[in-house]
Amino acid sequence: MPTKLHKNSIFCKTLCNFAEKLTYMTNNVLLIYTGGTIGMNRNPNTGALEPFDFVHLLNSVPELAEFKTNISTRQFTPPIDSSDISPARWTELVHIIADNYDFYDGFVILHGTDTMSYTASALSYMLENLTKPVILTGSQLPIGQLRTDGKENLITAVEIASAKHVDGTAIVPEVGIYFNGHLLRGNRTTKQSADEFNAFESFNFPHLADAGVNITYHEERFLRPDHSKPMTPHFKLDNNVIIFSLFPGIREDMIRHIIATPNLRSIVMRTFGSGNAPQSHWLHTALSDAVKSGKIVVNISQCMEGCVEMSRYDTGFHLQEVGVVSGYDSTVESAVAKLMYLQARFDDPETVRLYMKRPIRGEITLP
């Protein structure tokens, strides 16, 4: 029928205008594939999981073609195991997002689960005043397997990344992880299981959205960007940071060896309970020496849920006295990423300490 219409007819003009409006209204999402289980296949000879072609991955999800969303793709070549993620790769992701920011309504990053919380945390700090969704997802089973969780995770992540208010602003203007029916704030997440489909949880912050028959957005929990200002990308990180966990019997020489590491600027110290540590004189002296030398020591609980309260017990109060900074209810992943971000921006350790004690991307809740 369209071939019989004259190109100058009123009907044709109306049809063309309608098509232009539809194109304008159609959402655009950039899908970035870094690697991970979702895009792997099992080697028939070795039985090991290996990356396969990204086109093959997309062909495994024909449902994507039913979206009223234009989906463009980018990929790391070759794809990487998430264990190999690094600050340089985070910078690469920020460049991709920044370079394409004006052309897309949202971004979905396919990523391995092992370090997804680190990447989500880093991106949340590196993308200042984010006004569009950056949603990370993946799967516990390859997308080609019959019982894969990858299809639902990918399809819903794309839907969330393209969701807008009536005024055209994004419903979810922040970095999130979508997994197994839940959207979580990226810098609040921790991988909780290597086997269950419910691989991630944000123990100290409620879900941003829950997906069942419908997607329920809890908008009162979202960050509030300033839409009058641009998104500001940051490309530098300083990874002179280390993590160590306290345990009964920890040795003084090892702690002092860590503190004396050349170029080390900060330490994420995983303590007991609500931020407690042994009352050993040598430990307090070592930590005091570290602080006096300009190093930032951040106290993070080894518990999955709860908050550091160093004034609650004497064992924590002594840490506060020697200059250890409370990490409040931060995850380890978020604390590490935040320190890398702040250390790249500020040379003065006091400035870094100041920002570690306040939320800048919704990563901690102050008492």
Side-chain angles (χ1 to χ4, degrees), residues 36-37 82 111-117 138-140 179 191 193 199-200:
T37 300
S82 70
H111 195 289
T113 58
D114 286 347
T115 57
M116 190 183 292
S117 292
S139 66
Q140 295 286 62
F179 232 86
K191 185 177 180 181
S193 176
F200 291 89

Side-chain angles (χ1 to χ4, degrees), residues 58-280:
L58 294 177
N59 289 338
S60 298
V61 195
E63 295 88 345
L64 290 175
E66 298 179 22
F67 269 103
K68 294 178 181 178
T69 299
N70 294 322
I71 302 174
S72 302
T73 61
R74 290 284 296 271
Q75 68 173 329
F76 282 8
T77 306
I80 63 168
D81 187 287
S82 70
S83 298
D84 292 321
I85 202 70
S86 65
R89 292 296 197 174
W90 294 335
T91 298
E92 186 176 345
L93 284 170
V94 172
H95 274 292
I96 292 172
I97 293 169
D99 291 346
N100 292 279
Y101 197 73
D102 293 336
F103 307 112
Y104 293 94
D105 301 291
F107 303 85
V108 173
I109 300 172
L110 299 181
H111 195 289
T113 58
D114 286 347
T115 57
M116 190 183 292
S117 292
Y118 283 100
T119 297
S121 295
L123 294 180
S124 76
Y125 298 118
M126 298 171 78
L127 299 168
E128 183 180 352
N129 197 45
L130 185 64
T131 58
K132 299 180 180 182
V134 175
I135 310 299
L136 287 86
T137 194
S139 66
Q140 295 286 62
L141 287 175
I143 206 159
Q145 290 194 15
L146 187 61
R147 293 182 54 250
T148 184
D149 54 327
K151 280 191 176 184
E152 193 279 325
N153 286 347
L154 174 54
I155 289 168
T156 307
V158 170
E159 185 169 351
I160 292 171
S162 62
K164 292 181 183 179
H165 292 113
V166 176
D167 65 359
T169 58
I171 291 180
V172 184
E174 57 179 283
V175 178
I177 287 180
Y178 178 78
F179 232 86
N180 195 49
H182 305 301
L183 177 66
L184 315 172
R185 176 164 293 161
N187 57 32
R188 290 283 196 157
T189 61
T190 294
K191 185 177 180 181
Q192 67 172 351
S193 176
D195 299 314
E196 296 179 4
F197 286 155
N198 191 28
F200 291 89
E201 189 52 87
S202 54
F203 292 97
N204 290 317
F205 196 78
H207 301 164
L208 298 180
D210 295 292
V213 174
N214 298 303
I215 300 176
T216 302
Y217 294 99
H218 307 293
E219 296 196 50
E220 71 280 2
R221 300 168 186 169
F222 295 164
L223 297 176
R224 306 292 179 198
D226 186 344
H227 288 277
S228 68
K229 297 180 180 178
M231 186 277 288
T232 303
H234 298 273
F235 303 109
K236 294 183 179 180
L237 294 170
D238 181 346
N239 63 346
N240 286 299
V241 56
I242 199 166
I243 305 167
F244 73 73
S245 295
L246 296 178
F247 59 89
I250 193 167
R251 288 171 45 178
E252 177 181 1
D253 57 335
M254 292 182 177
I255 293 296
R256 289 198 174 276
H257 182 74
I258 291 170
I259 291 172
T261 301
N263 302 317
L264 181 66
R265 292 185 63 187
S266 59
I267 297 166
V268 174
M269 182 174 65
R270 301 181 68 238
T271 56
F272 308 126
S274 57
N276 303 310
Q279 297 192 62
S280 305

Side-chain angles (χ1 to χ4, degrees), residues 293-304:
S293 68
K295 294 179 175 63
I296 300 106
V297 183
V298 181
N299 186 352
I300 300 290
S301 175
Q302 294 179 28
C303 299
M304 300 288 276

